[in-house]
């Protein structure tokens, strides 16, 4: 799902946030996620490319140089539901509010679609997302998951050859 490159999204001074797929540095995004993101360590380039091709992708860029310093991916039907995932800010660019700005840009970009729910999962960045309106799931009793942690290793396609 390639999102058409619309106008730049609001970003902190000195940075741009864009959904233009032509601006993405796919090599860099794969490097970040496969080597430094606890949820995607070891992810293959082929799997990352497939994930990006089926998603709305957001990049954060330095305005002056055009260098990519952040990334987020959204899986959505554009009508009822979205899953925000693979949010990453380059270690050298952290502490500048870019993670929150990126989450807010995703929220604002998806708002016109009237989605009922935007979900995400995080191990350590709850505060970043809470500042832009995300809330912890209060009633976890109705939520279920089917994923790699529930399967034997042979069924786990994430690490299959």
């Amino acid at each position: 799902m390639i999102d058409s490159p619309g106008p730049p999204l609001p970003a902190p001074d000195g940075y741009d946030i864009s959904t233009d797929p032509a601006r993405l540095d796919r090599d860099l995004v794969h490097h970040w996620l496969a080597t430094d993101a606890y949820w995607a360590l070891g992810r293959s380039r082929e799997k990352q490319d497939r994930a990006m091709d089926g998603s709305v992708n957001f990049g954060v860029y330095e305005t002056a140089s055009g260098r990519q310093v952040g990334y987020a991916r959204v899986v959505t039907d554009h009508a009822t539901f979205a899953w925000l995932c693979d949010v990453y800010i380059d270690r050298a660019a952290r502490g500048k509010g870019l993670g929150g700005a990126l989450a807010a840009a995703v929220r604002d970009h998806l708002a016109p679609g009237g989605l009922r729910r935007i979900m995400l999962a995080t191990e350590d960045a709850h505060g970043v997302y809470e500042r832009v309106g995300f809330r912890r799931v209060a009633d976890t009793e109705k939520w279920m998951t089917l994923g790699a942690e529930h399967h034997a290793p042979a069924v786990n396609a994430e690490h299959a050859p």
Side-chain angles (χ1 to χ4, degrees):
M1 254 177 235
I2 295 181
D3 202 33
S4 60
L9 299 164
D13 286 343
Y15 295 91
D16 299 316
I17 299 175
S18 173
T19 58
D20 183 353
R23 293 186 70 183
L24 291 171
D25 183 337
R26 287 175 167 249
D27 291 333
L28 180 61
V29 169
H30 175 256
H31 173 75
W32 282 336
L33 297 178
T35 65
D36 194 40
Y38 66 84
W39 64 91
L41 292 175
R43 184 182 291 169
S44 73
R45 175 62 191 265
E46 183 272 333
K47 185 173 289 284
Q48 183 62 41
D49 283 343
R50 280 191 3 234
M52 291 174 84
D53 291 344
S55 302
V56 179
N57 299 279
F58 292 75
V60 182
Y61 307 90
E62 291 177 337
T63 305
S65 68
R67 185 177 76 89
Q68 187 169 352
V69 297
Y71 175 74
R73 185 167 68 85
V74 176
V75 181
T76 183
D77 61 12
H78 296 281
T80 63
F81 181 80
W83 179 265
L84 172 58
C85 54
D86 288 347
V87 179
Y88 187 92
I89 301 297
D90 186 287
R91 287 189 174 273
R94 293 182 187 173
K96 300 176 182 179
L98 296 174
L102 182 53
V106 168
R107 177 199 64 205
D108 296 348
H109 181 80
L110 295 173
L115 302 177
R116 178 178 173 160
R117 183 169 289 116
I118 301 171
M119 299 288 298
L120 65 85
T122 184
E123 193 171 285
D124 56 1
H126 295 83
V128 170
Y129 299 107
E130 288 171 343
R131 283 191 289 278
V132 298
F134 284 87
R135 298 291 172 252
R136 296 172 195 242
V137 175
D139 180 10
T140 59
E141 289 300 313
K142 63 183 173 183
W143 291 95
M144 297 181 73
T145 183
L146 177 63
E149 68 275 10
H150 301 292
H151 296 291
V155 180
N156 184 348
E158 182 76 23
H159 299 291

